[in-house]
Amino acid sequence: MRRKLLVSFLIVLSICISIIGVFSMRLSRQIYLKGLEDNLISNGKLMAGMLNDRYDYNKDNYDDLATEYSKILNSRMTIIASDGKVIGESENSSENMENHSERLEVKEAMEGKVGISYRHSTTENMDMLYVAVPVGSAKPYKAVIRLSVPLTYIKSIQSHLLLNVLLAVALGLMISFITAYLFVRRLTKPINEMTYISTSIAQGRYDRRISMNYKDELGVLARSFNDMAEKLERTISDLSDKKNKLEAILKSMLSGVIAFDAKSKVMLANPEAYSIFGFKKDILGKHALEIFRNTKLEDVILSHKDEDKEIDIDYPEKRVIRVKTAAIKDEEGSQNLGLVMVIHDITEIKNLEDMRSEFVANVSHELKTPLTSIKGFAETLRNGAINDDSARDKFLDIINIEADRLSRLINDILLLSDIENKPKEILSEKVDVNKVIDQVKDIMSGAALLKNIKLEFHKCEPPAYVMGEHDLVKQLLINLTDNAVKYTPEAGRVDVSVIRKDDNVSIEVRDNGIGISKEHIPRLFERFYRVDKSRSRALGGTGLGLAIVKHIVVSMNGEINVESEPGKGSRFTVKVLEAK
Ligand code: ADP
């Protein structure tokens, strides 16, 4: 801008100075020529007066006179007779000169006027000013006195003048340039500053202000600009505060939130929403139909109504979500501005609910069986069997066995719920596995002996430790050994070993019993899952033993593995990190 202003300023200035230069050159030329003409006229008139008194046409010539006065007057003098003949000439011999009656200035002088002519002289071969004055007081005039000067002088004056004018123009331009530069700088500096500051503000530096030391209109402009910047800064900071708060709230929410505009395009979505629906790319600005592949969900959004629904989704995986929508209305509540959707992933709650009701059904069933049996035999006894000694003893034994089963079942259920209610990881104690082995040996040896099973324990030296809870590790080992003894026929073999490998401790329970066919293995650890219900029941099983084992292993951050072959035996291996 500064350059533009300066250039336009200089162009106007140069044009003005040039016009002034040209006019002053023309004027000076006119003044000079007028002076020259006036001088020649007055000299001519003087000479005409003088010649009038002594004019004699018959005199040979006036060359000498012309030469003499030409020197005094510093101009060429020609005396022309009334017939046009040159009778006196200062620069040549008049005899050699042609008739001058047709010369413009001579013609005018013969008419009694002062003849003035500018032309090229063939005699002198240069541009000349001619002034001719009649000799005599009235027509017919006796002769004409013509004075002339070459115009070479004026040319040199003119070139001198031109040089001066050019110099003046250059000087004028220089001074004007400096003045213009200072003026333009004074004018553009605040404008440039304003431009720079407003660019900075546009780039997000809202704290920038213009210095206020301008006293003119620019000062007023700067003040209003600063006021505007101040308000802008406050508004932006308010907005970004609100935005940050909103973002923090949305980020910390455990529910997904998506807001749609009136055209059902996404205005906002929090990270949880991205995670629930498995969005990999930015969904802002996308239409609801573009991002969801679920008609129920799309219907809820496109209806723009307040709704609360449970919807099954298949992508990114099968899940159940609860969707609550609320329409966004304008201040009057008449116009729909969009919709906010809050999404809860209730898959786990649903699964838990299912599991719980299944568990309750199972527990009721499991409890019902021994209770029905106890009640049945008790009634049979009351109805008379009590008097039959052998029947009474048999029935009382059965009642006792069923009561024991009931007690075991309740104990297992309580134990399971106990483990479930504990924190996810139970790594409170450093448990000596060899010590647990010794205790399990004491407990299980009797049962093994009854079935003539060779139960052997292989401890680890030096003793291996794991992090967990002593009683739970013991329970884990009892359950696995008990199963091995239970599902191994008479005279079989069961080996319980503790093996240290790398950083891990493996507790392995191996038997050569009935084994388990492949299809059952993935479900073995489910509650109440049994391969052969009647066999398990006959052996006093509750169907919860392995579920308890699995819970304990998970609580110790370990893993359990089963290898089994029907008819050959099974091997249950629990692998846990060794405690150092
Ligand atoms: P249960 O009280 O019936 O033994 P568990 O949860 O301990 O229940 O075991 C689940 C089922 O796994 C058992 O019913 C049984 O069919 C099978 N099972 C467990 N351990 C063994 C084993 N060592 N050999 C063969 N089958 C086994």
Side-chain angles (χ1 to χ4, degrees):
M1 168 159 164
R2 183 183 291 185
R3 187 181 300 172
K4 265 190 196 162
L5 259 176
L6 212 59
V7 169
S8 1
F9 197 80
L10 282 180
I11 289 174
V12 173
L13 209 74
S14 320
I15 291 171
C16 290
I17 293 182
S18 307
I19 290 171
I20 293 170
V22 169
F23 274 99
S24 62
M25 285 239 330
R26 280 187 58 172
L27 195 70
S28 60
R29 181 189 157 93
Q30 277 170 6
I31 292 170
Y32 175 76
L33 288 177
K34 185 80 176 76
L36 207 60
E37 278 174 17
D38 289 350
N39 189 28
L40 287 183
I41 291 168
S42 55
N43 285 347
K45 281 185 177 166
L46 208 69
M47 287 306 302
M50 189 200 72
L51 196 66
N52 191 26
D53 299 338
R54 57 164 106 154
Y55 183 72
D56 179 5
Y57 180 73
N58 296 322
K59 191 172 187 283
D60 267 358
N61 66 48
Y62 286 93
D63 284 355
D64 292 342
L65 182 106
T67 310
E68 187 189 338
Y69 281 100
S70 137
K71 276 179 193 148
I72 298 164
L73 299 177
N74 204 12
S75 48
R76 178 183 159 198
M77 184 190 279
T78 314
I79 304 168
I80 304 139
S82 53
D83 57 0
K85 188 179 174 225
V86 177
I87 51 174
E89 164 64 44
S90 59
E91 311 299 316
N92 274 307
S93 164
S94 57
E95 277 164 22
N96 302 333
M97 292 181 71
E98 58 189 47
N99 189 292
H100 271 39
S101 59
E102 285 310 308
R103 298 290 197 274
L104 202 69
E105 69 281 1
V106 177
K107 262 181 161 177
E108 282 189 350
M110 287 300 185
E111 291 297 312
K113 294 180 218 158
V114 174
I116 298 169
S117 174
Y118 288 90
R119 60 191 158 70
H120 190 78
S121 158
T122 43
T123 323
E124 298 292 325
N125 195 24
M126 60 177 81
D127 289 335
M128 307 278 288
L129 163 63
Y130 295 97
V131 172
V133 182
V135 179
S137 49
K139 249 182 171 178
Y141 294 101
K142 295 175 192 165
V144 168
I145 295 268
R146 189 183 73 175
L147 293 177
S148 60
V149 283
L151 291 177
T152 43
Y153 187 56
I154 183 143
K155 277 199 176 143
S156 92
I157 285 183
Q158 258 186 321
S159 54
H160 199 67
L161 205 67
L162 183 70
L163 194 74
N164 278 320
V165 166
L166 284 178
L167 262 173
V169 166
L171 200 71
L173 274 177
M174 219 164 75
I175 294 167
S176 319
F177 179 80
I178 294 167
T179 326
Y181 176 78
L182 294 175
F183 174 71
V184 166
R185 202 176 67 161
R186 158 89 182 79
L187 192 76
T188 53
K189 199 178 156 220
I191 295 173
N192 284 346
E193 194 185 343
M194 276 183 212
T195 314
Y196 174 71
I197 302 280
S198 53
T199 312
S200 302
I201 291 177
Q203 283 164 353
R205 299 180 61 187
Y206 302 108
D207 57 333
R208 303 303 304 268
R209 296 287 179 275
I210 298 170
S211 52
M212 304 284 282
N213 46 10
Y214 307 111
K215 291 194 173 58
D216 46 15
E217 288 84 349
L218 287 170
V220 179
L221 184 63
R223 214 160 299 129
S224 355
F225 184 93
N226 283 351
D227 285 350
M228 188 191 74
E230 186 90 39
K231 276 181 196 146
L232 191 70
E233 187 183 5
R234 237 177 293 135
T235 314
I236 297 275
S237 118
D238 278 1
L239 279 177
S240 73
D241 268 4
K242 278 182 190 153
K243 189 174 161 257
N244 289 345
K245 276 180 202 155
L246 185 69
E247 262 176 18
I249 293 169
L250 287 175
K251 232 183 210 171
S252 62
M253 278 176 79
L254 293 174
S255 314
V257 177
I258 305 180
F260 297 91
D261 62 14
K263 289 179 182 161
S264 300
K265 288 186 173 174
V266 178
M267 294 194 291
L268 172 157
N270 72 344
E272 187 57 24
Y274 276 79
S275 140
I276 293 174
F277 293 112
F279 297 135
K280 298 273 180 298
K281 288 183 194 154
D282 195 355
I283 57 162
L284 290 188
K286 295 254 168 72
H287 195 277
L289 295 177
E290 272 182 82
I291 55 172
F292 299 116
R293 294 185 201 98
N294 188 304
T295 43
K296 275 190 189 164
L297 205 54
E298 287 163 4
D299 289 347
V300 169
I301 297 161
L302 299 179
S303 75
H304 283 278
K305 283 190 208 137
D306 295 0
E307 299 212 44
D308 186 351
K309 276 196 172 164
E310 274 182 22
I311 296 174
D312 293 321
I313 54 169
D314 296 327
Y315 185 84
E317 54 190 349
K318 279 199 179 299
R319 290 195 159 270
V320 188
I321 54 170
R322 185 174 168 195
V323 174
K324 261 189 120 166
T325 54
I328 312 170
K329 301 272 183 192
D330 65 354
E331 276 178 21
E332 284 108 50
S334 54
Q335 212 180 333
N336 217 335
L337 301 177
L339 181 93
V340 176
M341 177 167 84
V342 179
I343 313 114
H344 300 278
D345 185 348
I346 55 167
T347 318
E348 269 173 33
I349 299 171
K350 277 266 160 194
N351 285 347
L352 273 177
E353 266 175 22
D354 291 351
M355 268 168 66
R356 204 144 287 183
S357 56
E358 196 188 337
F359 182 67
V360 169
N362 278 331
V363 167
S364 318
H365 178 74
E366 294 292 332
L367 290 175
K368 221 168 147 188
T369 318
L371 275 175
T372 315
S373 178
I374 290 169
K375 194 167 183 278
F377 285 109
E379 267 171 16
T380 317
L381 284 172
R382 183 194 275 171
N383 291 343
I386 197 154
N387 300 318
D388 178 343
D389 283 353
S390 71
R392 184 191 57 205
D393 287 348
K394 194 177 156 205
F395 291 168
L396 283 177
D397 275 350
I398 295 173
I399 288 174
N400 203 28
I401 290 168
E402 291 300 333
D404 277 351
R405 183 203 301 282
L406 210 54
S407 160
R408 269 202 310 280
L409 193 62
I410 290 167
N411 279 341
D412 276 0
I413 292 170
L414 288 177
L415 181 63
L416 204 58
S417 101
D418 201 31
I419 301 169
E420 271 182 342
N421 287 334
K422 285 194 174 174
K424 258 194 166 176
E425 292 168 6
I426 310 167
L427 304 166
S428 50
E429 295 171 36
K430 203 170 168 186
V431 182
D432 180 348
V433 186
N434 283 355
K435 218 179 202 173
V436 175
I437 293 269
D438 287 340
Q439 291 171 349
V440 174
K441 190 176 179 180
D442 291 344
I443 297 167
M444 293 307 304
S445 295
L449 203 66
L450 279 178
K451 283 180 83 179
N452 194 23
I453 285 173
K454 196 172 177 206
L455 173 60
E456 284 198 0
F457 290 87
H458 312 275
K459 292 198 278 190
C460 169
E461 285 310 328
Y465 292 88
V466 293
M467 292 309 289
E469 209 173 272
H470 180 90
D471 287 351
L472 291 182
V473 180
K474 188 168 125 190
Q475 188 67 52
L476 177 152
L477 213 53
I478 290 173
N479 285 11
L480 289 177
T481 315
D482 183 49
N483 277 352
V485 172
K486 260 191 324 198
Y487 300 106
T488 300
E490 299 248 339
R493 183 188 169 97
V494 172
D495 286 280
V496 179
S497 325
V498 184
I499 305 148
R500 175 186 283 115
K501 197 177 177 198
D502 301 328
D503 289 340
N504 295 312
V505 176
S506 290
I507 303 168
E508 190 185 285
V509 180
R510 192 203 318 223
D511 64 61
N512 61 354
I514 58 169
I516 308 159
S517 59
K518 249 195 183 123
E519 71 269 22
H520 295 290
I521 289 181
R523 299 197 59 192
L524 280 187
F525 299 98
E526 288 176 20
R527 291 156 197 198
F528 300 114
Y529 187 80
R530 294 146 167 137
V531 175
D532 181 341
K533 257 191 185 154
S534 53
R535 188 198 289 256
S536 158
R537 218 179 284 273
L539 294 168
T542 60
L544 292 174
L546 286 183
I548 292 171
V549 168
K550 176 82 185 187
H551 268 77
I552 297 171
V553 172
V554 169
S555 77
M556 292 167 72
N557 274 342
E559 49 186 67
I560 183 159
N561 184 41
V562 188
E563 293 161 76
S564 188
E565 208 177 312
K568 288 203 167 167
S570 316
R571 179 178 19 195
F572 287 76
T573 313
V574 174
K575 200 161 98 182
V576 196
L577 205 67
E578 185 178 4
K580 300 280 179 191

